[in-house]
Structure formats: structure tokens, C-alpha cells
Amino acid sequence: VYTAEGLIYFYAVLMDVVAYKNLPYGMRSHYVVADYCMLRNGLDLQYAPKHIRSDYRCCLHAVWDNGLALEYVDDDAEVRKNRDIVRIACAENGLALQFAGIQFRRDIQIVWDAVTQDGRALQYAEEEMKADEEVVLQAVQQNGRALQ
């Protein structure tokens, strides 16, 4: 980022002229650039190098912008097991529950947040959550087709 070329790319990103996915690898690897881009378009996480997809702050900003970015959080990273990241993702987009680990798909608060945002998220919940009358009612109230 600190070269003339890097500054030009960073400015282009700031001005929304160049998309994150079109940046050279070295620029996509830079935490400041990646973090800024994740705040603007969380789904850009899919184009990020592994160390960015494992970074708590970058992943947090990505799922904050778009919960479905949870799909692109590195599977092997500790951040993937972070309850706060998963809960924010599911609250932002209930369908992100499909990318959450089993332990989160049986977590009442996370499932509740997910079905409150999108009742269709019920299909990704674990069986014990699907048997919870309050969860099912919440899902159906949010989306009448949640049981289909």
C-alpha cells in the first residue's frame, strides 16, 4: 500500500473505481484495504486470501455488512467458531444459519435471531430447534412459508 502503485490502487478503492476482487493479490492481502472493502461489501470476503478470511476484524465487518459472507470465513480459523461472528451474521441475514456450525444451529439465541430475520432459516436449524413451538411460531410469523 505504501508504494506509489499501492496508493493509486487504494485511492481507486476509496473512490469505488476498482472492486476488491480486481485488486492485485498484494493489495487484497493488506489488512487496511481488506477491512475497508469488507465494510462496504461483505461478500468480497470470497476473494480474500486465507489470512484475511481468518482475521476476526475483517470477518466481523464482512458479516456485519452481509451475513451470507459467513460462507467465506475460513473453515479452519478460530473465527469460524466465534459465537459473536455467527450471531451477527444470522441477525443480519437469517439464511446465514446454513453456514453455521452444528453447535450454533442448536443455539436458541442464534436460531431465534435467524428466524426473526428470515423465517426460512428454520430449515437450517437442528431438529430440537424445529421442535420448539416458540421458534416455529416466530419463523412462521416472519414468513408464512417457513414450514414449506
Side-chain angles (χ1 to χ4, degrees), residues 26-144:
M27 289 296 296
R28 284 184 285 128
S29 296
H30 197 281
Y31 285 103
V32 173
V33 173
D35 196 35
Y36 176 78
C37 290
M38 296 313 130
L39 278 169
R40 291 183 32 224
N41 181 3
L43 292 178
D44 275 344
L45 192 61
Q46 66 188 299
Y47 306 111
K50 185 177 177 96
H51 71 279
I52 298 295
R53 291 182 291 114
S54 301
D55 180 73
Y56 178 84
R57 183 181 170 123
C58 288
C59 292
L60 174 66
H61 289 158
V63 300
W64 201 340
D65 174 69
N66 188 324
L68 295 177
L70 185 62
E71 176 181 8
Y72 305 110
V73 173
D74 183 39
D75 288 331
D76 301 325
E78 283 300 310
V79 70
R80 183 70 141 163
K81 301 170 190 140
N82 185 289
R83 186 175 186 277
D84 294 333
I85 295 280
V86 174
R87 188 163 186 205
I88 289 167
C90 292
E92 196 287 320
N93 187 321
L95 298 179
L97 189 61
Q98 67 188 299
F99 305 116
I102 291 172
Q103 72 273 27
F104 300 120
R105 292 193 310 254
R106 30 173 93 112
D107 182 309
I108 186 70
Q109 289 179 319
I110 291 174
V111 172
W112 185 268
D113 289 345
V115 299
T116 297
Q117 198 285 321
D118 189 329
R120 297 173 302 163
L122 184 64
Q123 66 187 308
Y124 303 112
E126 286 297 300
E127 291 305 316
E128 60 262 33
M129 291 293 101
K130 292 177 183 177
D132 185 304
E133 289 180 24
E134 290 181 24
V135 170
V136 172
L137 181 60
Q138 180 66 17
V140 171
Q141 284 177 343
Q142 198 289 320
N143 186 326

